[in-house]
Amino acid sequence: MSSPAPFVVRPAGTADVRRIHELLEPFVQKRILLGKDLVVLYGSVQQFVVAEVDGVVIGCGALHVMWADLAEIRTLIVHDDWLHHGVGRAIVETLEERARELGVSRLFCLTFEVDFFTRRGFSEIGEQVVDPDVYSQLVRSPDEGVAEFLDLAHVKPNTLGNTRMLKHL
């Protein structure tokens, strides 16, 4: 068996959005990830990095800053053909580096892939991971990811079975 072609991880551009949407859709159908309209993906393209090989996007992930010291890794997807080839790890490492550059010291994720994130240094978290003053600010956010982080009741039907995890950088 030949080894796969090398991949690169780079910032996403608007030309990548439709492919990100294609990668996302099967996970939305399986109720693993929340769906995102194209307009939302275009509006957040600067948060994304993509992994590509020979000009084809094979994976993606986004870094969404939530507070001065806190960001979320979201929409982490690797095409099935590229699982277990280090693509997910490379995407997470790139997003961690971006977080450090922005001054973020904690990374959150909501995931079914507990073992993957545990190997990357994430730990399961409980309910209260921000102080009450920060909570009172975050609860005002219209962002569904922030609601997931806060474990608010209105997102629970969409997040059943997911594990809330945190990593200190």
Side-chain angles (χ1 to χ4, degrees), residues 21-167:
H21 191 259
E22 289 172 10
L23 287 169
L24 177 61
E25 202 51 36
F27 294 94
V28 172
Q29 297 304 316
K30 295 182 217 169
R31 301 182 56 88
I32 293 171
L33 293 173
L34 294 174
K36 290 182 174 53
D37 292 325
L38 282 171
V39 67
V40 172
L41 291 172
Y42 279 114
S44 60
V45 70
Q46 71 280 2
Q47 297 178 6
F48 278 86
V49 297
V50 293
E52 77 173 0
V53 69
D54 296 330
V56 176
V57 173
I58 58 167
C60 64
L63 180 72
H64 179 78
V65 175
M66 298 165 68
W67 199 250
D69 65 335
L70 180 65
E72 178 185 10
I73 290 181
R74 50 171 68 167
T75 320
L76 179 62
I77 306 167
V78 176
H79 189 277
D80 286 347
D81 294 347
W82 284 88
L83 293 174
H84 311 293
H85 287 93
V87 176
R89 180 182 66 239
I91 291 170
V92 169
E93 288 172 355
T94 301
L95 294 174
E96 286 179 1
E97 184 56 35
R98 286 179 121 191
R100 285 184 190 93
E101 290 169 0
L102 292 169
V104 170
S105 60
R106 298 183 300 162
L107 283 178
F108 166 75
C109 70
L110 183 70
T111 185
F112 288 106
E113 301 297 331
V114 174
D115 292 343
F116 172 83
F117 280 99
T118 298
R119 288 191 304 272
R120 313 267 101 55
F122 286 75
S123 302
E124 292 184 38
I125 57 173
E127 300 281 320
Q128 193 67 12
V129 292
V130 295
D131 68 47
D133 290 338
V134 174
Y135 183 95
S136 70
Q137 293 294 317
L138 288 175
V139 78
R140 297 177 188 177
S141 173
D143 186 86
E144 287 293 311
V146 173
E148 292 167 351
F149 170 73
L150 296 176
D151 205 23
L152 299 179
H154 75 273
V155 296
K156 286 193 186 292
N158 293 322
T159 61
L160 292 176
N162 282 326
T163 300
R164 298 165 74 240
M165 301 185 80
L166 193 71
K167 177 177 182 173

